[in-house]
């Protein structure tokens, strides 16, 4: 007698207690955005989130965001459909349009980039703390295979994070369904009599994701299930976390950061680390000195590592960072490049300059309330010459080209804590800017993407 049915057993939908467990971490948020396209995954996110928030009396604010890429005739109707479902769930919905000319190639990747840009702009306007996404276990497995075909290392193969704190455009991304199969999300909608939109491109084999989905079905027949692939990605993520912990410890003990921006470390100490730690250390230093997450090609990162270990003097740039190596020391700094740091002439009371420094206006209220006539910019754009500075010993002068300085119409003035010291007594001013170096946000490799990745990521 056969002990299996002729047809596969349909997966049941998610029960309320399972949904409560998946969404329990959302209680700490008071303002969220939900990315909903109308497909089963994101629509289930909207429906179950609405039920959960009412069931637990969540007091926060939520907005549904729909991005209309305008790539298909059905796009407008699908956007209206999501708005209607959001309204029935008790949430307002904003439809954001991808305007302008569309690319002829790499359309999905370009659409993804545009989507996050539009969403980030909207979330900044509403003050949303995080973006909820409907990515699920099948997406995780597809992402793993995608990274595998790209030759990714341990960072890429660790795939997506349930809580990605430094995602595209600096967004915090939350993925409560990463442990759930897609079939269970569809079953949850069917149990509620809720239909969803189907994108025909998901079945089009000209797209890589569709082909990977097909491959996963074949692998499942050989015993490599979606769950097993996702489990492997989780193991790799734990290994990656251990490496990142080691790199952060090395940075804190072995790398010296000048308050004005540049960094340096001993060349012999650097050479003694294993290759993988050296590559990650270089990546982390670039992020520190530029203020943005470095995403170098692995081949270029390996080339830089080889050059730094050959023992010869060199000066080489990568990802906006200049590396200079002497007999004993490696120096690194933010290079001006084709896009040097901007010069500010108008200030809020507080702000961020060049992704690296927070500033606040300090004024003598009996004289002036605004930094009238002041400029905040890089040293390489300042009007005064190098003779005005007491240069720090042991650092190349070029290392401070992109350091922040403040000047008035009559020349450079003293700034506190972060820029280079000016000779005493020069240009005393009743209003200045206080600068403080920003801490690095996010983890070394907390840059997982739902679609695509940097080829050959470390």
């Amino acid at each position: 007698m056969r002990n299996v049915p002729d047809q596969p057993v349909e997966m049941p939908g998610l029960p309320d207690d399972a949904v409560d467990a998946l969404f329990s971490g959302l209680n700490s948020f008071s303002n969220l955005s939900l990315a909903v396209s109308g497909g089963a995954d994101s629509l289930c996110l909207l429906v179950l989130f609405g039920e959960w928030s009412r069931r637990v009396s969540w007091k926060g604010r939520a907005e549904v965001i729909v991005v209309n890429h305008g790539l298909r005739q059905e796009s407008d109707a699908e956007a209206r459909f999501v708005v209607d479902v959001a309204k029935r769930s008790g949430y307002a919905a904003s439809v954001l349009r991808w305007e302008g000319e569309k690319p002829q190639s790499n359309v999905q990747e370009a659409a993804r980039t545009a989507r996050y840009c539009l969403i980030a702009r909207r979330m900044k306007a509403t003050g949303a703390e995080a973006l909820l996404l409907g990515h699920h276990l099948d997406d995780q497995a597809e992402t793993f295979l995608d990274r595998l075909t790209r030759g990714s290392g341990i960072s890429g193969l660790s795939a997506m994070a349930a809580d990605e704190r430094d995602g595209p455009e600096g967004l915090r991304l939350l993925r409560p369904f990463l442990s759930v199969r897609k079939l269970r999300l569809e079953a949850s909608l069917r149990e509620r009599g809720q239909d969803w939109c189907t994108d025909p491109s998901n079945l089009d084999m000209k797209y890589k994701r569709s082909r990977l989905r097909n491959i996963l079905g074949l692998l499942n027949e050989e015993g490599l299930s979606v769950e097993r692939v996702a489990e492997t990605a989780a193991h790799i993520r734990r290994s990656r976390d251990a490496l990142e912990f080691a790199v952060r410890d090395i940075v804190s003990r072995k790398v010296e950061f000048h308050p004005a921006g540049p960094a340096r470390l001993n060349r012999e100490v650097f050479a003694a680390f294993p290759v993988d730690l050296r590559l990650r250390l270089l990546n982390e230093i670039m992020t520190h000195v530029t203020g943005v997450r470095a995403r170098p090609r692995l081949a270029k990162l390996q080339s830089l590592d080889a050059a730094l270990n050959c023992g010869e003097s060199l000066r080489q740039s990568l990802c906006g960072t200049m590396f200079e190596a002497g007999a004993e020391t490696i120096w690194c700094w933010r290079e001006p490049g084709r896009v040097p740091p901007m010069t500010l002439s108008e200030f809020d009371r507080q702000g961020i300059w060049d992704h690296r420094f927070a500033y606040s206006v300090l004024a003598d209220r009996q004289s002036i309330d605004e930094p009238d006539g002041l400029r905040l910019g890089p040293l390489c754009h300042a009007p005064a010459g190098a003779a005005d500075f007491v240069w720090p010993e042991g650092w190349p002068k070029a290392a401070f080209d992109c350091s922040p300085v403040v000047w008035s119409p009559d020349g450079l003035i003293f700034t506190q804590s972060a820029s280079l010291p000016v000779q005493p007594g020069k240009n005393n001013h009743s209003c200045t800017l206080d600068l403080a170096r920003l801490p690095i946000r996010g983890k070394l490799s907390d840059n997982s993407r739902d679609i695509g990745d940097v080829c050959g990521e470390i």
Side-chain angles (χ1 to χ4, degrees), residues 315-327:
R315 181 179 280 197
Q316 183 174 328
S317 64
L318 181 63
C319 290
T321 303
M322 181 62 69
F323 289 85
E324 182 173 316

Side-chain angles (χ1 to χ4, degrees), residues 169 205 330 362 369 377:
E169 303 297 320
M205 289 300 153
I330 299 172
L362 302 177
D369 287 327

Side-chain angles (χ1 to χ4, degrees), residues 187-256:
S188 297
L189 291 177
R190 279 195 293 269
E191 289 174 357
R192 290 160 175 79
Q194 175 64 61
D195 57 348
W196 60 87
C197 304
T198 301
D199 184 351
S201 67
N202 289 332
L203 302 177
D204 192 338
M205 289 300 153
K206 75 177 181 180
Y207 295 113
K208 186 177 182 181
R209 279 273 162 166
S210 300
R211 298 193 299 272
L212 291 175
R213 200 167 295 124
N214 186 59
I215 290 172
L216 274 172
L218 298 175
L219 292 175
N220 185 65
E221 295 176 5
E222 300 299 328
L224 185 57
S225 64
V226 166
E227 290 83 359
R228 189 64 57 83
V229 173
E231 184 180 356
T232 299
H235 292 328
I236 294 175
R237 177 172 289 276
R238 288 200 297 270
S239 298
R240 190 201 72 177
D241 290 345
L243 275 173
E244 291 178 347
F245 180 87
V247 171
R248 289 193 296 271
D249 179 64
I250 292 170
V251 169
S252 66
R253 292 186 297 106
K254 301 297 184 182
V255 182
E256 178 186 357

Side-chain angles (χ1 to χ4, degrees), residues 37-52:
S37 65
D41 320 333
S42 60
L43 201 69
C44 187
L45 177 71
L46 167 58
V47 171
L48 295 188
F49 176 83
E51 293 178 358
W52 169 82

